[in-house]
Amino acid sequence: MLTSSVESIQMVDLKNQYLKIKPAIDEAIQECVNSAAFIKGPQVSAFEQQLGHYLTIGNVVACANGTDALQVAMMALNLQPGDEVIVPSFTYVATAEVIALLRLQPVMVDVDPKTFTICPSAIEQAISQKTKAVVPVHLFGQCADMERISDLCSAYDLFVIEDAAQAIGATYSYTNGNTVSAGAMGMLGTTSFFPSKNLGCFGDGGAVFTNNDTIASHVRMIANHGQAKKYEHDAIGINSRLDSIQAAILLEKLKFLSTYTLYRQQVADMYDAVFSGITAIEIPYRMPGSTHVFNQYTLKVPAAERDELKAYLDDRKIPSMIYYPMPLHKQKAYRGLGRVVGELSATEELCKQVISLPIHTELSNEQIQYITESVTTYFN
């Protein structure tokens, strides 16, 4: 007989996270309602400043969602139709979607099978005369190999646009001792505040990061219909704003981001302690130089076992997810678009092997034990 706690396991438990800080969240929302400053209220600029301070990033420009953040970042660099942008094929579709929407050419390459992040040698193999930018995706919560990527992009004069949607709060340490936040290493960085992210709002939201003040001004203008002054439009832009209520919620949750990160890491450690003893399981690799904030806890299991394991967990009321079952280069919308460089064998294998388990701030020890015992029982 399952206890009520075990029966209520969720992939992400946003309701109970909210209930723990309900008075502060409710008060912040009510202040927005009372002021009626729903767009461009003071909460937005306050959030931008506090997040920039938290991440030690010079400029944060909040926008409507993480996909817009990527699009605005690329628009700010004046990339032209036909320019190539290198992306990993093992990622969420938004990474390549904005490239296609801007009539740029996505160049899809393989990832490192251990880190799940874009492979620097695959980047170098894909560079052509048309290549203008690279988008490293800090997948599942840890940074890509940014020292090698940065050196490579500097050598070829390429822009780096970080997709840090799953890695807010992660840091990367260079061999010279400098430690930098995810999103602050490229010319531009982007993130998402989708509710399931480590720092999530109660709807859609996103942000662009940069330490370049001139580019930051351009980003802010593009996200506001291309206007620097009201009714004076100096560039083609879009309408992408973070609502004041969402900013107010994020201001409150930002206070707990370090605590949220620590708890996710502790849950990952508990998972690791059990799963590292199971031969058929490969636990998440922790890349030297990067912290891991575990937006997802993703195992690699034999391809022949993955779907059966998922069905077994479903039967035991344990949610799990497969990120991602089909690589970008095999998606119907992207076939024949841009270039695919190499065989992408690691990407195709990962799509058959990966499975992500619940990892969030509300998991109880009882729930963690039930999950680990269930996975262990399946493989034994």
Side-chain angles (χ1 to χ4, degrees), residues 346-367:
T347 292
E348 295 190 12
E349 282 300 305
L350 288 173
C351 288
K352 301 172 187 176
Q353 296 172 331
V354 294
I355 183 168
S356 298
L357 300 179
I359 187 163
H360 55 79
T361 55
E362 309 312 306
L363 279 174
S364 67
N365 287 337
E366 182 185 16
Q367 291 173 332

Side-chain angles (χ1 to χ4, degrees), residues 47 62-69 92 191-197 199-207 240-247 249-250:
F47 173 65
C63 59
N65 54 70
T67 306
D68 277 6
Y92 185 60
T191 198
S192 166
F193 304 121
F194 188 77
S196 63
K197 304 301 184 190
L199 178 63
C201 55
F202 288 2
D204 271 316
S240 186
R241 297 177 293 220
L242 182 68
D243 295 339
S244 301
I245 287 177
Q246 302 300 345
I249 292 164
L250 289 165

Side-chain angles (χ1 to χ4, degrees), residues 54-345:
Y54 183 91
L55 300 174
T56 320
I57 291 174
N59 300 278
V60 174
V61 181
C63 59
N65 54 70
T67 306
D68 277 6
L70 281 165
Q71 180 172 333
V72 169
M74 292 183 192
M75 291 173 71
L77 295 177
N78 290 320
L79 303 180
Q80 299 299 308
D83 286 348
E84 292 183 345
V85 181
I86 298 173
V87 297
S89 186
F90 189 65
T91 184
Y92 185 60
V93 69
T95 312
E97 189 173 44
V98 296
I99 297 170
L101 285 170
L102 294 172
R103 296 172 60 203
L104 307 171
Q105 296 296 309
V107 177
M108 288 169 274
V109 303
D110 213 351
V111 295
D112 184 301
K114 293 172 67 176
T115 67
F116 309 143
T117 60
I118 193 167
C119 183
S121 60
I123 294 173
E124 187 163 24
Q125 184 184 356
I127 294 171
S128 75
Q129 292 184 341
K130 294 182 179 180
T131 306
K132 295 295 187 292
V134 175
V135 182
V137 180
H138 303 318
L139 202 68
F140 300 151
Q142 71 178 337
C143 297
D145 188 350
M146 288 304 296
E147 182 147 21
R148 290 177 63 195
I149 292 169
S150 298
D151 289 346
L152 185 61
C153 290
S154 294
Y156 286 93
D157 195 24
L158 305 177
F159 293 118
V160 176
I161 306 166
E162 294 172 73
D163 183 340
Q166 298 183 18
I168 188 106
T171 59
Y172 182 89
S173 296
Y174 289 85
T175 53
N176 65 6
N178 289 341
T179 298
V180 188
S181 293
M185 292 173 276
M187 179 61 74
L188 290 153
T190 67
T191 198
S192 166
F193 304 121
F194 188 77
S196 63
K197 304 301 184 190
N198 292 25
L199 178 63
C201 55
F202 288 2
D204 271 316
V208 180
F209 308 137
T210 183
N211 286 309
N212 185 304
D213 294 343
T214 301
I215 290 180
S217 296
H218 199 40
V219 166
R220 195 173 295 280
M221 180 172 63
I222 290 171
N224 187 30
H225 296 289
Q227 60 182 358
K229 295 181 180 179
K230 195 172 182 66
Y231 301 127
E232 293 184 16
H233 304 272
D234 296 337
I236 302 296
I238 64 173
N239 176 23
S240 186
R241 297 177 293 220
L242 182 68
D243 295 339
S244 301
I245 287 177
Q246 302 300 345
I249 292 164
L250 289 165
L251 270 168
E252 292 302 321
K253 292 183 74 174
L254 179 60
K255 298 172 184 176
F256 299 93
L257 181 55
S258 294
T259 302
Y260 292 162
T261 297
L262 180 61
Y263 192 77
R264 285 174 177 269
Q265 291 168 337
Q266 290 172 344
V267 173
D269 288 344
M270 286 187 274
Y271 279 155
D272 283 356
V274 176
F275 298 145
S276 60
I278 301 174
T279 305
I281 290 178
E282 187 173 326
I283 62 174
Y285 177 72
R286 317 285 187 96
M287 192 182 78
S290 176
T291 60
H292 202 317
V293 297
F294 289 100
N295 182 242
Q296 306 297 341
Y297 182 89
T298 303
L299 299 172
K300 284 170 61 179
V301 300
E305 302 274 7
R306 198 269 305 276
D307 292 346
E308 289 184 12
L309 171 61
K310 188 176 192 323
Y312 177 82
L313 295 175
D314 287 345
D315 287 343
R316 294 176 68 83
K317 299 186 182 300
I318 298 172
S320 61
M321 291 291 290
I322 296 169
Y323 307 104
Y324 300 94
M326 184 184 295
L328 288 183
H329 69 280
K330 289 195 169 181
Q331 299 284 352
K332 181 179 179 181
Y334 294 89
R335 291 177 200 157
L337 183 64
R339 292 190 293 129
V340 177
V341 179
E343 296 182 357
L344 278 65
S345 56

Side-chain angles (χ1 to χ4, degrees), residues 13-23 25 202 362:
D13 190 350
L14 297 175
K15 182 177 180 180
N16 282 312
Q17 185 188 65
Y18 157 66
L19 290 175
K20 287 183 177 179
I21 55 174
K22 183 179 186 299
I25 293 289
F202 288 2
E362 309 312 306

